[in-house]
Amino acid sequence: MADYTALVEAGTALMELLRDHLTPEPIGNRELISLCSPHESENNQLTLYLYQVEEDTQGVPSGYYQVSQNVQRIRPARFNLRFLVTAHSKAPAQLKEADQYRIIGAAIQVLKDHPVLDAQYLSGSLAQENARVSVVLEKTPLDQLLKIWNNTSNAYKLSFTVLLTGVEIDSKRERTVSRVTDVTIQTGQMEREARR
């Protein structure tokens, strides 16, 4: 059962994928890649920020499904998660921009090479469900990226958007149904109508 923890599990899987492939080059230490706001990057060199959760209703069946003989549960909801991936360079001022370009370029390369998160990165309920979480580099208008940055006094930093699809959260809402044990058919009315 995919639990409410699926959001953090998906983010952690994305982070671990990048940690495995971006260290020790171009980022020296795994802990410098984190799930956090780009505005509070502290010592991080690459941040992953979940900024939008959107329910995906396209092609997803609705209603209830049978859990056991007498119990039905609402079908899981599927979500699309959008992460802002931002580079933060610790290099001297004259090398800072080039360092950020290298980090972003390497992150894009890794994510393009892994269109689906490998099972080894999934944990918790996503691993139990053998979830198939797809990774898409999303074309995001610059004005939308700037809106995220304009709410603070921080200057814009080089960023791009990653869309994770296929993240499901199960419902806990169930209903009890009973099997049909007796059927009563009345034929008197039908016979009278048939004689007319």
Side-chain angles (χ1 to χ4, degrees):
M1 183 159 105
D3 209 351
Y4 64 89
T5 56
L7 302 184
V8 71
E9 291 164 2
T12 301
L14 183 63
M15 177 183 67
E16 290 300 326
L17 170 69
L18 290 169
R19 282 179 169 182
D20 276 359
H21 290 87
L22 297 182
T23 56
E25 179 59 36
I27 298 174
N29 186 337
R30 294 174 61 84
E31 282 66 40
L32 298 177
I33 302 172
S34 297
L35 291 175
C36 70
S37 166
H39 309 302
E40 301 160 0
S41 62
E42 296 177 12
N43 294 323
N44 297 305
Q45 286 189 276
L46 190 71
T47 57
L48 309 171
Y49 175 57
L50 177 60
Y51 74 92
Q52 185 180 35
V53 178
E54 174 183 70
E55 187 171 5
D56 179 6
T57 56
Q58 190 170 12
V60 178
S62 60
Y64 287 82
Y65 69 99
Q66 205 71 30
V67 176
S68 63
Q69 184 175 353
N70 296 325
V71 178
Q72 293 180 337
R73 180 179 294 141
I74 290 183
R75 293 190 181 278
R78 186 177 301 157
F79 295 93
N80 295 328
L81 311 179
R82 284 183 175 81
F83 287 85
L84 184 70
V85 180
T86 307
H88 308 270
S89 176
K90 304 303 176 198
Q94 65 272 25
L95 302 173
K96 189 172 283 212
E97 290 298 318
D99 191 38
Q100 289 179 167
Y101 299 164
R102 287 178 341 107
I103 293 169
I104 288 292
I108 288 171
Q109 182 180 51
V110 169
L111 296 174
K112 288 295 282 183
D113 287 348
H114 295 85
V116 175
L117 289 176
D118 298 333
Q120 73 185 59
Y121 297 112
L122 300 180
S123 62
S125 63
L126 290 181
Q128 290 171 359
E129 289 291 311
N130 295 319
R132 181 178 165 84
V133 179
S134 298
V135 179
V136 179
L137 294 181
E138 195 169 55
K139 185 185 275 187
T140 307
L142 181 61
D143 62 329
Q144 187 176 352
L145 289 175
L146 291 175
K147 282 180 187 176
I148 296 170
W149 288 95
N150 283 343
N151 293 332
T152 68
S153 59
N154 296 340
Y156 173 79
K157 290 186 179 178
L158 186 59
S159 305
F160 67 94
T161 303
V162 175
L163 173 66
L164 296 187
T165 63
V167 177
E168 293 186 347
I169 298 178
D170 282 331
S171 174
K172 291 191 180 246
R173 187 171 170 191
E174 296 179 342
R175 67 181 180 189
T176 304
V177 293
S178 56
R179 298 180 64 148
V180 177
T181 55
D182 293 320
V183 177
T184 305
I185 301 174
Q186 296 180 345
T187 58
Q189 183 70 19
M190 294 171 128
E191 288 174 10
R192 275 188 244 128
E193 288 179 7
R195 289 180 191 158
R196 290 182 189 170

